[in-house]
Amino acid sequence: MLKKISFAFLLIISTAVAAETAPMIKGESAVNEIAANVISVKTPEVNMALPTQGSTQVFMELDNNGKARHKLIAAYSPAAKLIQLHQTIEKNGEQYMQQVPMISIKPQHEQDLKQGGFHVMLMGLNESLKKGHKVPVVLLFDDGSYINLNVPVE
C-alpha cells in the first residue's frame, strides 16, 4: 500500500513539475540536461530520533556536475508524515528554521545540506530512527527527475 502511495505521489508531483518549465536564469545557456543525471549525493545522513521527538533532519552534499542550475523542490520519505525543505536563519541573535520552496544548486557547484543551513526536515516520524538503519528518501527536482536514496541513520 505504501509503495502505491509513494509511486502515486511521485507521479503526481513529477507531472505537475514537468508541465511548468523553469525560467532561465540570466547568463545561463539553455541546456537540456536532467538534474538526476548530473547531481551526485555525498555523505547523506539522518539524525537518530524517536517518534516522541516528532522530527529530525536529513543532511547531505549535493554536487551539480552539470552546465545548468538545478533546483531541489521537494523530498519524500515514508519515515515521516510531513517532509519540508528548510533553512536555518539567524534573527536578533537567535536561530530559526523556516520552510523554503526550493534549494538552488549552481552549475559546477556543491550545495551543502547541513546543520545550521539548508536541510530536509522529517516531521511526524512514523517510527524510531535507530543508528545503523537506513531511511528511504526521494529527492525531487524542478525538471521532474528524482534521486532515490537509502540514508543511514547516524
Side-chain angles (χ1 to χ4, degrees):
M1 175 73 171
L2 187 57
K3 286 185 180 183
K4 288 181 184 178
I5 293 170
S6 300
F7 179 74
F9 171 79
L10 284 174
L11 184 61
I12 291 167
I13 295 295
S14 296
T15 304
V17 170
E20 181 180 318
T21 56
M24 287 297 296
I25 296 170
K26 190 174 181 177
E28 287 188 7
S29 61
V31 177
N32 291 327
E33 64 184 18
I34 297 170
N37 291 342
V38 296
I39 292 177
S40 59
V41 179
K42 295 180 184 174
T43 63
E45 67 179 55
V46 177
N47 280 347
M48 190 169 48
L50 300 171
T52 54
Q53 288 176 282
S55 63
T56 192
Q57 303 87 24
V58 182
F59 304 122
M60 66 193 77
E61 297 168 14
L62 299 174
D63 289 346
N64 183 351
N65 301 299
K67 296 179 181 176
R69 179 183 302 263
H70 293 285
K71 297 173 187 170
L72 174 64
I73 61 165
Y76 171 78
S77 177
K81 294 172 183 65
L82 179 64
I83 296 91
Q84 295 179 343
L85 303 177
H86 276 201
Q87 180 179 21
T88 303
I89 58 166
E90 189 170 324
K91 193 184 243 184
N92 300 325
E94 301 220 13
Q95 288 192 336
Y96 299 92
M97 286 187 289
Q98 69 179 23
Q99 184 178 4
V100 294
M102 57 84 188
I103 298 171
S104 182
I105 312 150
K106 297 176 189 173
Q108 300 299 311
H109 190 264
E110 178 181 288
Q111 179 63 60
D112 290 335
L113 277 59
K114 61 183 182 177
Q115 185 90 24
F118 289 110
H119 55 275
V120 175
M121 195 75 191
L122 302 179
M123 297 176 286
L125 297 174
N126 293 319
E127 60 186 51
S128 296
L129 302 181
K130 298 175 184 172
K131 188 170 183 162
H133 288 152
K134 293 196 176 189
V135 176
V137 175
V138 178
L139 304 177
L140 181 64
F141 297 93
D142 61 335
D143 63 2
S145 66
Y146 58 92
I147 297 174
N148 288 309
L149 302 170
N150 281 309
V151 183
V153 177
E154 296 294 331

